Amino acid sequence: MMNQKSTEQDRIKNAAAVSCRYSMHTMSFCVKLTRWGAKVVRDKLVAYCEAEGLRYYEHKNEWADTKELIFPGFLDYGLNSVKVKAISKGKGGIYFLQIKVNPRMMFHKDTHPFVYIADADDIRKSLDRIQDFLDMTDINGIPRESFYIQRIDYCANIRLGSRQEVEEYMRLVRKGLCPHLTTRKEEYSKTQGRWIPTRNSFTVYCGSYEFTVYDKWSQMMGEKDRYKAEDIAEAEGIVRVELRVKRNKVRYEKKRTDCESEIEYLMKTAEISERLLDKHLRECFGTGCFVKASKAEELIRESSYKDKTKERMCRIVRDTAKSGLEKASLRYEKKHKDFYNMMCRFNALGISPITIKQRSEIECLEHPIEYIKNQNANLPE
């Protein structure tokens, strides 16, 4: 009995530790409405906003044949946005009520910085707040249990030291590998006159998710009109790892984790976040730390691998330094077809083929998973 009790306590302790490292920062809920139900919801939200002096507006997308009535005035209530959406389908239409929830804005906007992520209690209370919102606006007949998760943004934050470290780290992660069936996100460079990979992030996406590692301070500086100076200062030195999961992926993960309800699924947020974020970090960067090319080649030469394997690994290091791991993998696959096995060899040596600049004062930077576990920055210091 003592062993069973100890095991249970360890499980709870480990789960609490994970929830401090991995969680989410926003989630979007949706419920399908009838045409009449959508009209009733619209009318009640409009009536409430007009009575309280809150703004709302309509947005049409003729290309997608959608129309949204958007109510942004509930941000102080912790709801990033509330929308009543209509999608035309032939002679009829499909109607939804969408609510985007930010637990930090709900409960901690005056005490926690923008790098804060939600714990299990915040998630549970957020669901109660949605019901309170429905009651407050007199929207009857739509209990919170009828909503499904449309999107959830899993994340973790790591705190590095100097601005120099952050900039070098972002240079390294921008050389990462795109997982199978994903596309690298790009932005247009006016100076170069062409589309290039995003400068302050490594972002890949597909139909079911978007995965990104980015410099939180640079992101907030790019939108500094939205943030207070002290919030921007808090983000200095922080790199965020984020996975934005869409509805089809949520359904898959809900089935995989044997969750019968949306609430049950949300209560496993930390566990799911850790598994998914770690998976994508391993796919994009391997599992080893970042060292200089000279150190990487030294470790490869000293290994017990065959000489031919060593030469191929050194070639991957050099190609990655020139043009990134994605292009290095494509070049390698044209001749040898076993790039996955080569990455496993790098992992076994504890290094990444992505290397630090030779002239840098920095000798080594850890893999993101190591920083998430040991230099976490999800809560205020």
Side-chain angles (χ1 to χ4, degrees), residues 154-187:
Y154 297 113
C155 65
N157 300 304
I158 59 179
R159 188 182 295 278
L160 299 180
S162 63
R163 169 62 17 195
Q164 179 188 6
E165 272 193 357
V166 173
E167 289 177 353
E168 178 61 15
Y169 207 70
M170 291 311 305
R171 189 190 71 82
L172 294 171
V173 300
R174 287 179 72 250
K175 289 180 174 287
L177 188 68
C178 295
H180 184 54
L181 298 179
T182 64
T183 302
R184 182 75 180 270
K185 192 172 185 179
E186 296 182 330
E187 61 189 10

Side-chain angles (χ1 to χ4, degrees), residues 295-305 310 314 349:
K295 182 64 175 179
E297 292 199 27
E298 177 187 333
L299 293 171
I300 291 168
R301 300 290 184 194
E302 293 175 352
S303 73
S304 59
Y305 297 137
K310 293 178 182 179
C314 288
L349 291 180

Side-chain angles (χ1 to χ4, degrees), residues 28-46:
S28 297
F29 295 94
C30 191
V31 62
K32 192 173 180 179
L33 305 171
T34 63
R35 182 178 181 180
W36 174 251
K39 181 181 183 306
V40 171
V41 170
R42 280 197 303 266
D43 291 346
K44 289 189 174 182
L45 287 173
V46 167

Side-chain angles (χ1 to χ4, degrees), residues 32 64-67 86-96:
K32 192 173 180 179
D65 213 4
T66 63
K67 183 169 65 174
I87 305 174
S88 297
K89 291 288 184 181
K91 295 182 179 180
I94 305 174
Y95 305 89
F96 302 94

Side-chain angles (χ1 to χ4, degrees), residues 317-333:
V317 169
R318 295 175 202 135
D319 286 347
T320 300
K322 290 179 182 177
S323 54
L325 191 53
E326 180 68 19
K327 289 184 178 179
S329 70
L330 295 174
R331 179 174 178 177
Y332 182 89
E333 282 290 326

Side-chain angles (χ1 to χ4, degrees), residues 173-371:
V173 300
R174 287 179 72 250
K175 289 180 174 287
L177 188 68
C178 295
H180 184 54
L181 298 179
T182 64
T183 302
R184 182 75 180 270
K185 192 172 185 179
E186 296 182 330
E187 61 189 10
Y188 187 74
S189 170
K190 292 182 179 179
T191 56
Q192 299 184 43
R194 63 187 179 92
W195 289 88
I196 61 172
T198 48
R199 286 165 289 186
N200 294 313
S201 74
F202 170 85
T203 305
V204 295
Y205 63 93
C206 62
S208 58
Y209 70 85
E210 181 176 282
F211 174 71
T212 182
V213 182
Y214 64 95
D215 176 359
K216 184 63 178 174
W217 180 84
S218 293
Q219 176 259 316
M220 293 179 73
M221 280 295 291
E223 307 172 76
K224 60 183 179 181
D225 291 342
R226 294 179 53 194
Y227 303 104
K228 297 177 182 177
E230 55 266 33
D231 292 327
I232 296 176
E234 180 65 36
E236 179 62 89
I238 289 178
V239 172
R240 169 167 282 183
V241 181
E242 191 167 321
L243 178 67
R244 300 153 189 160
V245 177
K246 299 180 183 178
R247 175 61 183 162
N248 52 350
K249 181 70 171 173
V250 170
R251 293 176 65 182
Y252 171 82
E253 290 298 328
K254 183 181 172 185
K255 184 176 181 181
R256 176 176 177 172
T257 51
D258 296 321
C259 295
E260 296 183 359
S261 68
E262 306 294 279
I263 295 175
E264 186 180 352
Y265 178 80
L266 287 172
M267 290 303 101
K268 293 186 177 182
T269 291
E271 169 193 326
I272 296 169
S273 179
E274 179 182 31
R275 174 168 52 80
L276 293 181
L277 288 177
D278 283 8
K279 170 181 176 291
H280 288 291
L281 288 168
R282 290 192 295 267
E283 287 178 341
C284 296
F285 312 111
T287 61
C289 63
F290 304 112
V291 296
K292 293 182 178 180
S294 57
K295 182 64 175 179
E297 292 199 27
E298 177 187 333
L299 293 171
I300 291 168
R301 300 290 184 194
E302 293 175 352
S303 73
S304 59
Y305 297 137
K306 294 179 180 179
D307 289 345
K308 186 181 291 187
T309 298
K310 293 178 182 179
E311 289 301 323
R312 291 178 180 178
M313 292 177 72
C314 288
R315 171 55 63 186
I316 290 173
V317 169
R318 295 175 202 135
D319 286 347
T320 300
K322 290 179 182 177
S323 54
L325 191 53
E326 180 68 19
K327 289 184 178 179
S329 70
L330 295 174
R331 179 174 178 177
Y332 182 89
E333 282 290 326
K334 287 181 180 179
K335 292 183 178 180
H336 308 296
K337 308 295 183 184
D338 64 339
F339 186 77
Y340 173 80
N341 292 333
M342 299 304 287
M343 283 300 298
C344 290
R345 292 183 173 93
F346 277 102
N347 293 342
L349 291 180
I351 57 172
S352 171
I354 304 170
T355 53
I356 297 170
K357 288 180 180 179
Q358 198 62 36
R359 63 180 180 274
S360 174
E361 296 177 359
I362 301 169
E363 295 295 330
C364 178
L365 290 166
E366 297 293 343
H367 188 276
I369 293 175
E370 289 300 312
Y371 282 138

